Amino acid sequence: MLTRRHFLGASLAMTAYAGGSMVPAWAQNAPSLGTPTLPSPGWRRTKVGDAEVIALIDGIARRPLGEEFVKNAPLAEVRALLASQNLPTDYIDVPFTPFLIVAGGRKILLDTGLGEFGGPTTGKLLEHLHAAGVQPSEIDTVLISHYHGDHINGLRNKAGDYVFAKAKVMVPTTEHAFWMDDARMAAAPQGMKGAFENVRRTFASMPQGMLVPFEPGAEVAPGIQSIAAYGHTPGHTLFHLQSAGQHFHYVADLTNVPALFARNPDWAVTFDMDAEAARKVRREMLARTVTSQSLVGGFHFPFPALGRMVAAGQGYAFEPLKV
């Protein structure tokens, strides 16, 4: 059900799509802040039981740190937490990292990055996929966590071609229904309309049989379970791989910048459409990954974006795998 809270939260999150643009302003680098350094190589593989998980960084965007980034904490407190971890306090680097699961002869991509629609330090997914020895034509399934542009724009290029032309594109029913609803789009604030238009550019003309909706909670591939994690968006969904007794949780946008939002799970990033629902599911899922000692992959986590969550103070800390 559409609520005023969803629209207000979404409008704040999407105001960067000015003028109906498909390029989020937060995916562009602020010139005065310098250019983030991309990792080299930009991919990292690890084993999870009999499966392989490959992190493939699409890029990094650098944005000024302002009052708006953490919606419910003073900027001075946010800066103090960053300083305590020896991180910059005047800007935030936001990485974008899709993941590839190779298991049972399948190649399953989790989210797609910004494609050709981001800034100069983004759009590197295909380059790193090639470097890891995989061709786009080999991808048989793309699992989409939610419909923000940095997760879906890599599905189609500027010419309109499908980048993973042989893949089934599996999407959460709840997410798809929200963004493809014409009445919601008509009622949306102006700052949010570009996000609706971008979803339609990506999905509306997708060939029959390519788009495969699934109910969050369903098994989407052998050994891969979807997990409803609503809040960041109305249908935000995570994925859990289990293989030979080992576990990998792809947590998508459960937390943006773990140095802030894992350390303080009750803090709300500006992009969370329903901050209270996002807070509850963030605490629940972070606790679950610690208890299960799962390998964790986060779309906005620092490279290699693979590691473990551990308890730290009133929240959690991300410990990346050694590169």
Side-chain angles (χ1 to χ4, degrees), residues 270-290:
T270 187
F271 311 119
D272 284 344
M273 291 171 64
D274 184 336
E276 177 59 18
R279 180 192 71 80
K280 289 179 179 178
V281 76
R282 184 160 46 248
R283 279 208 169 271
E284 174 189 343
M285 284 305 306
L286 290 176
R288 185 188 302 186
T289 63
V290 171

Side-chain angles (χ1 to χ4, degrees), residues 171 184 206:
V171 301
R184 285 172 175 160
M206 194 166 277

Side-chain angles (χ1 to χ4, degrees), residues 25 117 139 190 195 206 213 240 274:
F117 301 98
I139 305 299
Q190 189 60 41
M206 194 166 277
H240 171 219
D274 184 336

Side-chain angles (χ1 to χ4, degrees), residues 203-220:
F203 294 107
S205 60
M206 194 166 277
Q208 185 176 9
M210 189 177 196
L211 186 70
V212 181
F214 65 87
E215 291 294 334
E219 185 178 63
V220 291

Side-chain angles (χ1 to χ4, degrees), residues 16-37:
Y17 288 87
S21 169
M22 293 176 289
V23 186
W26 46 265
Q28 307 285 333
N29 296 318
S32 62
L33 296 174
T35 303
T37 301

Side-chain angles (χ1 to χ4, degrees), residues 9 21 28 36 87 89 111 118 135-136 179-180 190 214 223 270 304 317-318:
S21 169
Q28 307 285 333
L87 295 172
T89 59
D111 288 331
Q135 303 302 314
W179 293 104
M180 294 298 289
Q190 189 60 41
F214 65 87
T270 187
F318 174 63

